Amino acid sequence: MTRFQRIRTFLSGILMFVLGVFFIIDPEDGYENVVFILSLWLVIAGIHSIYFFFTMARHMVGGMRSLVAGIFILDLGLFTITLSDVPRIYLLLYLLSMNTFSGLVELLSAVDAMRLKSPHFRLKLAQGLFNIFLGLACLLFLRYANTAVYIYSLGLLINAVLRIISSFRKTAMIYIQ
């Protein structure tokens, strides 16, 4: 990780932590804020993936996957904007699917890192298990719509701490001469 990437990861972790604390302190307007932040993040990620395709990935093997993923994520972000007017149970279902999916991806990444004997697989494993736990919490508290703000805030806080930790972690550099 370059110095700029470390600073960017650290600052995004601080921003996520501040947002998580803000959502816990002010839960009344939290639902609309959660929907807005979630949709804004998805739209930006989708646009970034589409931009990556047109600048670099179109020349790569499997680069079309970046375009398809970008369009899908952008569409998901635009769909999320419309969730502010529907019952709050849909946001919990949305958080359930997102947390469970990202938890499964992290678990598969941790298993792959463990197979490669990487010392950092425990952190990936803990993050994957925590995201699956958040997905189960969404399922358990499906009838209580106000818990969506707290579940999202808890996920933001934990992922912020993990980002800050990863920004200070030494990474292996491979030099090819």
Side-chain angles (χ1 to χ4, degrees), residues 39-51 66 69-70 73-74:
S39 62
L40 182 68
W41 176 77
L42 286 170
V43 166
I44 289 172
I47 290 172
H48 180 266
S49 184
I50 292 170
Y51 174 76
S66 175
I73 292 170
L74 179 65

Side-chain angles (χ1 to χ4, degrees), residues 16-17 127 130 153-163:
M16 287 170 62
F17 192 82
Q127 186 175 9
F130 181 74
S153 299
L154 186 62
L156 271 179
L157 290 174
I158 296 298
N159 285 320
V161 169
L162 291 175
R163 274 185 182 257

Side-chain angles (χ1 to χ4, degrees), residues 10 47 123 126 164 171 173:
F10 179 75
I47 290 172
L123 191 60
I164 292 170
T171 54
M173 299 293 281

